[in-house]
Amino acid sequence: MSTTVNPTPTVHDAAPRRPVTRPGRTGPLRGLGPSVRLLLRRLRVQVLAWTLPLWLLVAATPPAYEDVYPSLQERELLVQSMRDTAGTRLLYGVLPLPGRIGQLVQWETGTYLLICAALMAILLTCRSMRADEDDGLVEVQRGSGVGHLVPFIAPVLVVWGAVALFAGGAGLVLTVLTGSVTELTVPGAWALAGAIAVTGWAFAALAALACQLCRQTGPARGLALAALGCSFALRVLADESETGRLRWFTPLAWRDLVRPYSDDRVWPLAVCAGACVLLTVVAARLFARREYLGGYLPDRSSSRRRWRLSGYPDLQARLALRAMAAWSVTVAAASALFGAMASSITELFAPDSATSSYVEKMASGSPVEQFMELLTIMTVLLVAVAGAQRVNALAADERAGLVEFEASVGGSRARMFVAQAGVAVVESVVLLALSGAVLAAMTGTQFTDDHAVGRAFVFTVSQLPGVLATIGIALALVGLAPRLSALVWAVVGWSVFAQFFGGLVELPDWAQDLSVLGHHLDVVGDPDWGPLAVQATIGIAGALIGLLAYRRRDLAR
Amino acid sequence: MNDDAPVRVRSLVKRFGRFTALDGLDLEVAAGQVHGFLGPNGAGKSTTIRVLLGLYRPDGGTVRVLGRDPAHEASAINREISYVPGDVALWPNLTGGQALDTLAGLRGRRDRAREEELVERFELDPTKKVRTYSKGNRQKVALVAALAAPTRLLVLDEPTSGLDPLMERVFTEEIARASAQGRTVLLSSHILAEVQHLCSAVTIIKQGRVVEHGDLETLRRLARTQIEIRADDQTLNRAAAELEDRGIPADRADDQLSVQVESALVPRAMEVVAACRVTDVRCGPASLEDLFLRHYEDAR
């Protein structure tokens, strides 16, 4: 070839841009690669927000166990009583013998990891599978020539990948810890990682199924979360049954089939993974037969009767009614389950025993006090989540353009803000009263010594200032920066960590007290109003800051 | 400035970070007027409207709506305003009827009979869920609520973008009726013909600044008729030459010739077309895009 000179070499010599998908390729999975990449890009921050704090938790607990109980002998009493304690059996399941550190980790921390993997899988699946369809994003995707199964397969792959990342990271952290904590084993680490992975995959599959059955994101998410609740209850039943065969039917008990750090069984993992794939295939078939925006369950989202509305608070109350009913059922069911476990308190927590010293890491006082404190933190956590979610609905409505329209017909910003805050507070008060009443009533049928009934009620309802603080912080965020409204979940997450693990990892007292949960009054002795006053102040200050900021800023869309 | 004007905006500035969306914008809508608010996409029409409604806080200038400052009295002002957003968001779980009930309930005032009449006119099915509505149907809900509400000022942000031609006609008639009742209308649009048809005054903006404002006469002056003819090469060449002779510049493409003329020159242009015995002729109003290409390319 002769050496001709190209006048504009930089432009013309550049290779032609490669098309994103190969032309001519068709089929139900066309465009899967770009769709998966797009989803990864959209969900990466959320996935890291779930996984990073939990990996830190995994890294922190084994050394803490070793610090507090260096040898098996020192642990013997603790392990025995943990196995017999109704409250801990209820929350975490049965602690395997002899109670090596790995067994303790997979039992307590492992339970949190399983539940968080399940929650992450459910929320991410419903977001990327059903909410995208509701928002019209799937339509855009399909309209650009993407294969018909891609809107189903891409979310499944991404969520399964996120769960695998989460589980793999936990396994890696525990593998690294085998170097410093001698009781930990490498097969145990990966058996636990495997159990977390199959549990997460199972709930991703169940959520995918719920997304096909229901006609909208909200009900689909509700159904999947209800499945999580039933799975928890079924795990408790399976633990109490003789054979344990029930464990196969609840993903939250699959860990106890794998038995990490005890037997490290691989074959249950294979069976469970197979079950997850099977569930996903069923969901995929339902998806393929379903109409766009359709569902298999009848639509009962609201009545078609016309309304006579008396103003903005009335509207918010009507819109909140359904969610509030769902929360009431959840909170009442959890309180009833916990109350039913109160019967065995007397046999436990003998004073000065290893048990009480262990439980004192999380709670203090008499057995009844300890039991009630542990369980009310769980029930009040549900109420705090409901309250924060109600406030964050204001930010979501703003993003959707509803606030703009509501303001344009004369709704004042202050009134809208105060109404939403009011609905959140009323909802929380009702839920706390309901939870306290159910817990007290159920406890009363089992056990009445040491003010058990009164404590069940008072411990619950006197955590109202903590719930108000949560609502106040959420209100401040919505007022100041609605994009950061999700930060309130960090506050709730920290509070759970500080209450359940703060003692174990030996956080300083002030850091353990830095919590919206767990501060309450007692029915005997001098009431300690201090923490409650601080929480109430935070709640009121947050609401005021939020209100001032909300009145001044642009209402964005 | 007219103190009674329902909308008075002077030197309005609105910034989003480093981006200046509105850069010293002036707008005045007189009482009883149907005022066209024109501009290409992204010119700042919706931003201006959101400032008028008190949703956005201005960074400079003065804004008076119904004699009050929307930054401080949005709620009181908006009770007197009917607003139709460009992209109507409604509560997805409610029916269209419940959405109307909600909007009326929030406003606290309602003309039920008028609302039902409008539901019929716009052929809206109020028993269906908002979620199942098309864009046009959501827009109809907002239009029915806006037109039926007993308000003095209508602020409409591209309200016909989802309506079919039949419904556009109903819309036109209803706006004329509102105007006849003495209500003031601010109609944002990027369709010049729609504004010409409905409005008695116009403000045209581009990149956050006013490039033209005036009354019906201004609109008429701005209006152009687009004439396109197709014929063989020889005929087109002849037509182009004759048009040039009459002072009408023509654009020549491969097999067609197009000219834009003001209405006074239409007969003169058509004479040429007739003289050349062209049979393939298209004649219609020139679009806003053409106007911008012609007039305001260098407005900044």
Side-chain angles (χ1 to χ4, degrees), chain A residues 305 307 404 410 413 551 554, chain B residues 14 54 57 75 98 101:
Chain A
R305 206 175 309 148
W307 285 4
E404 173 185 285
R413 292 184 187 207
R551 291 184 61 184
D554 288 346
Chain B
K14 177 65 195 172
R57 303 295 191 224
S75 174
Q98 286 170 339
D101 296 340

Side-chain angles (χ1 to χ4, degrees), chain B residues 83-241:
Chain B
Y83 169 54
V84 176
D87 183 7
V88 180
L90 295 169
W91 306 267
N93 276 335
L94 307 193
T95 64
Q98 286 170 339
L100 287 173
D101 296 340
T102 300
L103 290 168
L106 291 176
R107 189 182 293 284
R109 290 153 62 191
R110 183 176 207 176
D111 183 343
R112 194 79 195 239
R114 178 88 179 98
E115 200 175 280
E116 271 159 26
E117 184 194 339
L118 283 161
V119 166
E120 295 236 322
R121 288 220 65 193
F122 279 103
E123 294 173 12
L124 178 72
D125 180 356
T127 63
K128 277 198 177 148
K129 287 281 169 80
V130 163
R131 187 160 22 93
T132 65
Y133 277 161
S134 63
K135 178 183 180 184
N137 276 329
R138 287 203 307 273
Q139 225 157 20
K140 285 181 190 175
V141 173
L143 275 170
V144 168
L147 290 164
T151 54
R152 287 153 62 194
L153 174 64
L154 288 152
V155 178
L156 314 173
D157 193 358
E158 301 189 3
T160 58
S161 52
L163 299 185
D164 61 47
L166 225 65
M167 287 304 128
E168 261 185 67
R169 217 167 74 190
V170 176
F171 168 78
T172 308
E173 288 163 14
E174 289 299 334
I175 292 301
R177 181 167 162 181
S179 174
Q181 287 165 347
R183 294 168 87 181
T184 309
V185 182
L186 178 64
L187 173 66
S188 139
S189 178
H190 61 265
I191 307 163
L192 186 62
E194 179 179 80
V195 170
Q196 282 169 338
H197 197 64
L198 277 167
C199 300
S200 51
V202 65
T203 297
I204 301 177
I205 68 168
K206 190 187 176 194
Q207 291 176 338
R209 281 182 175 179
V210 174
V211 288
E212 188 86 58
H213 70 100
D215 54 10
L216 210 61
E217 187 46 48
T218 315
L219 272 171
R220 205 168 291 138
R221 181 170 53 74
L222 288 171
R224 288 288 189 284
T225 301
Q226 167 111 1
I227 302 169
E228 287 172 14
I229 58 176
R230 284 165 197 271
D232 57 77
D233 239 19
Q234 206 183 341
T235 317
L236 289 184
N237 284 339
R238 189 179 140 210

Side-chain angles (χ1 to χ4, degrees), chain A residues 398-422:
Chain A
E398 188 174 333
R399 275 193 294 276
L402 289 172
V403 170
E404 173 185 285
F405 213 17
E406 286 158 1
S408 80
V409 288
S412 95
R413 292 184 187 207
R415 214 176 309 135
M416 292 197 284
F417 191 85
V418 170
Q420 194 80 337

Side-chain angles (χ1 to χ4, degrees), chain A residues 155-177:
Chain A
V156 167
L157 288 180
V158 169
V159 176
W160 279 44
V163 168
L165 175 80
F166 175 39
L172 199 66
V173 169
L174 288 170
T175 304
V176 170
L177 282 176

Side-chain angles (χ1 to χ4, degrees), chain A residues 457-541:
Chain A
F457 187 74
V458 171
F459 280 24
T460 308
V461 294
S462 64
Q463 290 190 50
L464 177 64
V467 176
L468 291 183
T470 313
I471 292 174
I473 292 166
L475 285 168
L477 285 167
V478 169
L480 289 165
R483 278 164 197 230
L484 302 181
S485 58
L487 275 182
V488 70
W489 302 122
V491 173
V492 175
W494 168 262
S495 302
V496 172
F497 172 75
Q499 289 298 313
F500 284 102
F501 294 97
L504 190 64
V505 301
E506 290 175 336
L507 282 179
D509 282 349
W510 63 265
Q512 285 189 51
D513 287 341
L514 200 63
S515 162
V516 293
L517 303 169
H519 296 287
H520 58 80
L521 297 176
D522 201 348
V523 287
V524 287
D526 282 336
D528 181 11
W529 291 99
L532 305 196
V534 171
Q535 288 179 325
T537 311
I538 291 173
I540 292 167

